Amino acid sequence: MRINTNIASMTAQESANNVNKALNNSLEKLSSGLRINKASDDASGLAIADKLRTQASSIGQAISNGNSAVALTQIADKAMAEQSNILDVVKQKMLQASTSTTSSAGRQAIAKDVKKLLDQLNNIASQTNYNGMNLLQASTTTNSSAATSYKFQMGELAANTIATSSGVRSNVTGLSIASLSAVVSGTSSKIASGTAGISVARSMLTKIDTAIGKLNGWRSDFGST
């Protein structure tokens, strides 16, 4: 009995198979651009590389979250800046109404102007939003309740967050100037009635100053965030 075995041929085939495997591995690394493509390439290295890859993609998303947060806070700040300008004009108008050199008809005209300015202040509060989220009050309803706090995920860990303060209500009611809105409303406003109207107009100045201070506090919160 004789077994025909070609040892040289088997050795050559094994070498050729090893070369093909090595070549396939090299081509796999070249095509993917990665040194480790499967666990057999480097078992411990794969675990480290995969963790780092996940961390990198997570931080990339956190950066995107941060950019969105910057956009949101800037929108809120610019809207409140315009409201601050409105309150500045309102105070000028009420100062004008607080002096005896302004006639009753003049104060009535001032009242109409202030009423429209306050309506626009409310419009800004109800319309300012980012991606459907109201920023200056809870909803689009006029004189809605205060907006909630917004929390931004700024890192890969659950604790890596930054939040705005809750309680922003940048409308006539939230700024505590509803009484001002009342005295300038109607066909014959309270500030137009002679000497009494001058006193009413003068009494509103402190309320406007308080409203400006409250508005600036909310703006600084968004700015620091």
Side-chain angles (χ1 to χ4, degrees):
M1 182 176 179
R2 183 176 67 179
I3 299 175
N4 292 322
T5 303
N6 190 338
I7 299 299
S9 175
M10 293 173 66
T11 301
Q13 289 180 29
E14 181 183 8
S15 296
N17 287 334
N18 289 336
V19 169
N20 285 331
K21 288 180 181 179
L23 181 61
N24 287 335
N25 284 334
S26 296
L27 290 173
E28 186 179 36
K29 293 174 182 178
L30 286 171
S31 61
S32 67
L34 301 174
R35 184 180 71 84
I36 304 173
N37 291 284
K38 53 185 180 294
S40 60
D41 292 337
D42 184 348
S44 59
L46 176 67
I48 296 172
D50 192 59
K51 182 177 180 180
L52 291 173
R53 191 181 303 115
T54 301
Q55 186 179 36
S57 61
S58 298
I59 292 174
Q61 183 58 54
I63 291 171
S64 179
N65 290 351
N67 290 331
S68 297
V70 168
L72 183 149
T73 54
Q74 285 180 340
I75 289 171
D77 176 59
K78 295 303 181 183
M80 286 190 285
E82 187 57 36
Q83 289 183 316
S84 182
N85 292 336
I86 288 174
L87 290 177
D88 288 342
V89 175
V90 167
K91 183 172 183 181
Q92 291 175 14
K93 297 292 183 182
M94 297 310 292
L95 283 168
Q96 186 180 3
S98 299
T99 184
S100 296
T101 54
T102 303
S103 65
S104 294
R107 286 195 296 275
Q108 182 60 38
I110 289 171
K112 292 179 181 179
D113 198 5
V114 170
K115 178 65 168 59
K116 292 183 183 297
L117 288 168
L118 295 180
D119 287 343
Q120 186 55 33
L121 186 143
N122 278 338
N123 288 339
I124 292 173
S126 64
Q127 294 171 12
T128 301
N129 71 89
Y130 180 86
N131 199 22
M133 299 178 294
N134 288 84
L135 305 181
L136 305 186
Q137 59 182 35
S139 68
T140 58
T141 305
T142 301
N143 284 331
S144 175
S145 57
T148 59
S149 172
Y150 290 107
K151 185 175 288 187
F152 312 114
Q153 187 65 39
M154 303 296 288
E156 61 169 333
L157 302 178
N160 301 148
T161 59
I162 296 176
T164 62
S165 298
S166 59
V168 177
R169 192 183 182 188
S170 189
N171 51 44
V172 167
T173 303
L175 291 170
S176 302
I177 50 175
S179 57
L180 172 60
S181 182
V183 301
V184 297
S185 299
T187 56
S188 180
S189 69
K190 293 181 180 180
I191 67 170
S193 56
T195 304
I198 294 174
S199 297
V200 171
R202 194 171 293 138
S203 68
M204 295 294 109
L205 296 176
T206 302
K207 294 182 181 297
I208 298 171
D209 286 336
T210 301
I212 292 172
K214 185 181 291 188
L215 189 64
N216 288 336
W218 290 331
R219 286 188 68 189
S220 64
D221 174 64
F222 275 103
S224 62
T225 300

